[in-house]
Amino acid sequence: MRRQIKLISALWGCMLGSMLLIGLIFQFPFLSHLSSSLTTGLEEMIFIAIALILNRDWLQQPLTYSLTATWRQRLHPLEPTLIVTGLMGGYTLMTAHRLNTTLTILFIAILISLFEETFFRGMLFRASRQTLGVIKAAIFSSLLFSLTHLINLSHQALSLTLLQLVFTFVFGLLLCLITAQTASLFWPLIIHATNDFFSLMQPPINLPGIHSTASFQIVEVVIVVLLMVPILRKNRAWLP
């Protein structure tokens, strides 16, 4: 068990170091003139390639992005999550104004989710699940997923970063549970991409008592925790 955990931690450290190095490279003068969208897109494609190489050389795990034959039977506890996801995606599209900007941001959101779901749920969660079980593996891999977002301190305030760490931790837990429930990365990819699309587009939010990004993110944390409940009730055997 310790050897597997050390390997997973080492892979995470390797990826985190790669992300920091690639981010630094894109600050060089001959690349710094690129638009933020192009830079983010190129970075995410590089991250995906690194993740696939690490998986090939160290974990050798199959990455399942397609739906399994029994996917309809596995959806029962996910209906609330899919409804919320559909509402988020629909509202974001309805409030969008420029088609080219919307499509660009959607493409970036898909790339981000493809990298993060491949690495954190497809690789780290699956590898740790073999020795820790579903719940402990979900907590461990989600903690690594959350801590990765500390790199955002380079461009955002500490308070927002700390809130983001909390949100990404509980969001990672939800995505791990969905991965275990569906035996595929398909729905986690869809849900994650929709969330990132919503976050990047920043559609107007007019809710009572919600006047800031911080207050809205607190609401998001509560919603994500509630969405985990039906999945855990369906799979009580996962609990210690």
Side-chain angles (χ1 to χ4, degrees):
M1 179 185 295
R2 289 183 179 179
R3 182 178 180 183
Q4 186 77 344
I5 297 304
K6 286 181 179 179
L7 173 60
I8 293 168
S9 300
L11 291 176
W12 173 70
C14 180
M15 177 57 74
L16 185 61
S18 299
M19 293 172 69
L20 292 171
L21 178 60
I22 291 167
L24 181 62
I25 290 174
F26 274 91
Q27 298 301 315
F28 288 173
F30 65 94
L31 291 174
S32 60
H33 69 281
L34 299 176
S35 67
S36 59
S37 297
L38 181 57
T39 298
T40 302
L42 291 173
E43 287 178 339
E44 295 302 324
M45 286 189 281
I46 295 172
F47 299 157
I48 293 169
I50 294 173
L52 293 175
I53 291 171
L54 290 175
N55 186 59
R56 181 198 65 191
D57 293 344
W58 293 96
L59 296 177
Q60 295 91 40
Q61 294 184 151
L63 298 169
T64 307
Y65 299 101
S66 60
L67 295 172
T68 62
T70 59
W71 69 273
R72 290 182 180 85
Q73 300 173 7
R74 296 174 178 269
L75 280 185
H76 173 60
L78 305 186
E79 283 96 340
T81 302
L82 297 181
I83 290 171
V84 171
T85 301
L87 290 174
M88 286 177 59
Y91 181 71
T92 305
L93 290 172
M94 287 173 58
T95 55
H97 298 293
R98 298 179 60 184
L99 180 61
N100 58 339
T101 301
T102 302
L103 292 177
T104 298
I105 292 177
L106 178 59
F107 181 65
I108 291 173
I110 292 172
L111 286 177
I112 294 172
S113 63
L114 182 58
F115 158 59
E116 294 184 344
E117 291 312 304
T118 296
F119 186 67
F120 289 100
R121 261 61 68 180
M123 293 171 54
L124 302 192
F125 170 63
R126 179 164 182 166
S128 56
R129 180 182 176 182
Q130 297 172 7
T131 54
L132 297 177
V134 173
I135 299 302
K136 290 182 179 179
I139 293 172
F140 177 54
S141 60
S142 298
L143 180 61
L144 297 181
F145 177 54
S146 173
L147 292 175
T148 302
H149 291 79
L150 281 172
I151 63 177
N152 291 334
L153 280 171
S154 63
H155 61 268
Q156 71 182 15
L158 175 61
S159 58
L160 283 179
T161 302
L162 292 177
L163 268 177
Q164 188 179 33
L165 294 185
V166 176
F167 173 73
T168 50
F169 176 71
V170 296
F171 190 50
L173 287 176
L174 175 64
L175 295 173
C176 285
L177 296 180
I178 293 173
T179 301
Q181 168 66 26
T182 61
S184 171
L185 294 173
F186 179 84
W187 290 114
L189 275 168
I190 297 296
I191 295 165
H192 194 154
T194 303
N195 175 78
D196 286 359
F197 179 52
F198 179 89
S199 299
L200 292 170
M201 287 289 289
Q202 296 183 328
I205 302 297
N206 298 307
L207 295 173
I210 308 299
H211 305 297
S212 66
T213 301
S215 58
F216 182 72
Q217 194 143 63
I218 292 172
V219 173
E220 283 187 303
V221 169
V222 174
I223 292 174
V224 170
V225 171
L226 292 175
L227 291 176
M228 285 189 275
V229 173
I231 304 175
L232 291 172
R233 290 183 62 186
K234 176 72 173 180
N235 300 278
R236 291 186 178 91
W238 292 347
L239 299 172

